Amino acid sequence: MITTSAISTIREHVKTWRSKGETVAFVPTMGNLHQGHITLVNEAKKRADHVVVSIFVNPMQFSANEDLEGYPRTLAQDSEKLMLAGTELLFTPTPEIIYPKGLAQQTYIEVPEIGDELCGASRPGHFRGVATIVAKLFNIVQPDIALFGRKDFQQLMIIKTMVEDLSMPIDVIGVETIREQSGLAMSSRNGYLTIEEKHSAATLKQALDSIVNAIQRGEATQQAITTAKKLLITAGFTPDYLEVRNANTLRQVTAADSELVVIGAAYLGKARLIDNVSFSRHSS
C-alpha cells in the first residue's frame, strides 16, 4: 500500500490506472477505522480495479462547540487495517494541504434544504463542510465510484444530491450499516461511550424499529415517535430528533410515499449517536 499526503502523487497513480482503462473506487474517511469502514473497502474491491482511501479529519465540518482536537486519530492502526484489506493507495493530507488559504478563504459547497434539516439543524455548517471536502476529494481522486455507509443516511443523500446537481461523473454507492451484536451501529463516536452507556446504546436502534413496527401496524406516526422518545429517555438518552422521511428524497412524508426511512439522533453521555432504518409502508 502506498501512503501519501501529496495531491500530485494521487493524481499520478490514478492517471496511470486510467491510461490502462482500469477503474477506481474511492472510500473517504476521517480515520479511527472500524469494521464498517473495512466493509466499504471490501465492497470497493468488488466493484473496481483499484481502491483509494483517504483519512482526513475535516475541520470545516466541526462547529466551535465540537471537539476537533479530541477526535481520535489512530493512523498507524488504520494503515494496518487498510493494508490487510487490500487498499492500494492511502491519501493522508493535512489541513494545510487541503485548505492552503485557511477555512475563511475557502470556496465552499452547500446543498440546500436537506443540508439544513435534521443533523444540519443541530450542527449548523456541518454539511457545508462535508459537501466541500467530499467535492474536493472527488476532484483530487477522480474516482468512478465512491462508497459511503448508510448509517450516515443524511450525509449519503447530500452527497448524492451534490454529485447529481454538479454533474460529477461518479457513482455514489450506499453500503448497509454494520452493527455490533447488540444492534448498535458501528461508529467512531462509540469510543466516547462508557461501558455502562455501551450497554444502553442499542436502545436507539430498538426505538427506531419500534416506530417502523408501529407504522406498519397502522399506528399514527406521531404517536409512534412519542413512544419511542420515552423509550430512549428511560434508557438514559437525550433525544435530538426522531423523524420519518421519504427514503429517496429525505423530504417530509406525504400520503403517497411508500418508501420511508425513520431517522434519529440522540445524546448518550459524551456521544451523539445517529441511526436510521429504511422500510416500506404498504398503502391500504
Side-chain angles (χ1 to χ4, degrees), residues 257-279:
D257 294 334
S258 59
E259 297 305 311
L260 309 180
V261 60
V262 55
I263 187 166
Y267 296 91
L268 186 61
K270 293 180 181 177
R272 182 178 182 274
L273 304 181
I274 62 172
D275 206 345
N276 64 87
V277 178
S278 297
F279 68 105

Side-chain angles (χ1 to χ4, degrees), residues 8-270:
S8 58
T9 303
I10 297 291
R11 286 184 165 154
E12 283 165 17
H13 282 280
V14 172
K15 186 178 179 182
T16 300
W17 295 333
R18 289 235 178 275
S19 70
K20 300 174 187 173
E22 295 168 345
T23 53
V24 179
F26 179 44
V27 179
T29 82
M30 292 214 302
N32 193 28
L33 304 182
H34 51 70
Q35 189 54 42
H37 296 107
I38 302 307
T39 300
L40 296 178
V41 174
N42 292 336
E43 189 64 30
K45 285 168 61 183
K46 294 177 193 172
R47 293 171 177 260
D49 298 313
H50 302 279
V51 178
V52 182
V53 176
S54 65
I55 293 177
F56 179 63
V57 181
N58 177 30
M60 191 185 277
Q61 68 192 68
F62 285 77
S63 63
N65 63 343
E66 293 179 325
D67 188 11
L68 171 63
E69 294 308 314
Y71 193 87
R73 291 161 171 83
T74 54
L75 184 57
Q77 299 95 306
D78 294 345
S79 297
E80 188 173 349
K81 289 175 184 175
L82 291 171
M83 189 162 57
L84 289 171
T87 305
E88 287 173 85
L89 191 53
L90 173 59
F91 184 40
T92 58
T94 62
E96 291 74 25
I97 289 169
I98 294 294
Y99 302 122
K101 294 185 288 188
L103 293 182
Q105 298 300 314
Q106 171 66 39
T107 299
Y108 61 82
I109 292 173
E110 281 187 326
V111 177
E113 292 187 26
I114 62 170
D116 300 324
E117 302 179 341
L118 305 171
C119 283
S122 301
R123 304 176 70 188
H126 171 69
F127 287 121
R128 171 197 286 187
V130 169
T132 301
I133 188 57
V134 171
K136 185 145 189 172
L137 290 169
F138 281 177
N139 282 332
I140 292 167
V141 178
Q142 299 194 346
D144 297 283
I145 64 170
L147 298 94
F148 296 85
R150 286 177 63 89
K151 177 185 76 72
D152 298 282
F153 191 85
Q154 186 177 11
Q155 171 180 280
L156 175 64
M157 297 294 290
I158 283 167
I159 292 165
K160 283 186 171 183
T161 302
M162 176 188 75
V163 163
E164 182 182 346
D165 288 355
L166 298 183
S167 304
M168 294 180 175
I170 299 168
D171 187 11
V172 176
I173 295 164
V175 177
E176 285 304 320
T177 302
I178 303 300
R179 300 183 180 278
E180 300 187 9
Q181 201 168 357
S182 65
L184 174 65
M186 288 191 180
S187 169
S188 299
R189 295 182 186 274
N190 292 352
Y192 295 134
L193 298 169
T194 65
I195 293 170
E196 293 78 12
E197 288 165 351
K198 197 89 182 280
H199 287 306
S200 306
T203 307
L204 178 56
K205 173 67 161 56
Q206 293 162 13
L208 299 182
D209 286 339
S210 75
I211 295 172
V212 172
N213 294 334
I215 290 171
Q216 289 181 328
R217 287 196 308 267
E219 193 174 308
T221 298
Q222 205 50 54
Q223 179 57 48
I225 289 172
T226 299
T227 303
K229 280 184 178 175
K230 288 176 183 173
L231 181 65
L232 287 176
I233 292 166
T234 302
F237 281 87
T238 302
D240 183 353
Y241 65 81
L242 288 175
E243 294 201 25
V244 178
R245 295 290 183 100
N246 180 302
N248 297 313
T249 65
L250 216 53
R251 293 200 173 110
Q252 297 286 349
V253 174
T254 69
D257 294 334
S258 59
E259 297 305 311
L260 309 180
V261 60
V262 55
I263 187 166
Y267 296 91
L268 186 61
K270 293 180 181 177

